[in-house]
Amino acid sequence: MVQSINTKADLVIDGTSHMGLSEYGKIMIGDKGFEFYSDRDKKNFIQIPWNEVDKVIVSVIFKGKWIPRYAFRTKKNGLFTFSSKDPKKALRTIRKYIDPNDIVQSLGFFQVLSRSLKNIFTKKNK
């Protein structure tokens, strides 16, 4: 069995890890970090301490009515993407431990498209 990094769990909720193939399991948000444990394989887990989190990137659709997924950008290990049953509740719990200025909204479809078009035309001019 895997040892948890948390001493106190604030929220345990069903969730999905989107690292490669989607993996269903439990998300635990506690005082020391964010943890994901797979339902199928007990050896498959992700533990992210709060001091390792650089930004929390939230995908927001329909002006905040629906949050399909959120991601943690860490200082060393890259991007970890998750979704959960009640993402608003999970993000409110995460906000206790992460500075609200470090929880950012991801770019929308048209923002990505306009940035890529701007980059194409600015590279041709140089």
Side-chain angles (χ1 to χ4, degrees):
M1 189 68 189
V2 179
Q3 183 67 33
S4 175
I5 60 173
N6 292 317
T7 56
K8 180 183 75 146
D10 289 340
L11 179 68
V12 177
I13 193 167
D14 289 335
T16 307
S17 169
H18 299 285
M19 302 298 299
L21 295 174
S22 294
E23 185 79 31
Y24 299 104
K26 296 282 186 202
I27 290 175
M28 181 189 302
I29 301 170
D31 58 342
K32 304 285 186 197
F34 181 91
E35 299 177 320
F36 173 81
Y37 297 102
S38 173
D39 283 341
R40 288 189 314 136
D41 187 9
K42 297 300 177 192
K43 292 181 233 169
N44 190 5
F45 63 94
I46 299 171
Q47 295 177 332
I48 305 170
W50 293 130
N51 59 2
E52 190 64 31
V53 175
D54 185 33
K55 296 274 185 203
V56 178
I57 303 164
V58 181
S59 177
V60 177
I61 298 176
F62 302 125
K63 297 180 183 174
K65 300 259 187 236
W66 184 40
I67 299 173
R69 62 186 65 197
Y70 45 93
F72 292 92
R73 189 172 75 198
T74 61
K75 295 175 183 170
K76 295 179 185 175
N77 296 324
L79 194 70
F80 297 92
T81 307
F82 301 95
S83 60
S84 59
K85 279 266 200 218
D86 191 358
K88 288 184 182 182
K89 189 175 185 181
L91 289 168
R92 283 186 196 111
T93 309
I94 291 168
R95 194 172 55 196
K96 293 178 186 175
Y97 303 105
I98 300 294
D99 182 27
N101 295 328
D102 289 334
I103 300 175
V104 296
Q105 184 175 341
S106 67
L107 296 176
F109 173 74
F110 293 110
Q111 291 171 324
V112 172
L113 190 63
S114 67
R115 282 188 180 189
S116 64
L117 291 174
K118 285 179 188 175
N119 286 337
I120 289 171
F121 291 121
T122 57
K123 288 181 182 178
K124 285 185 179 179
N125 293 336
K126 289 183 180 179

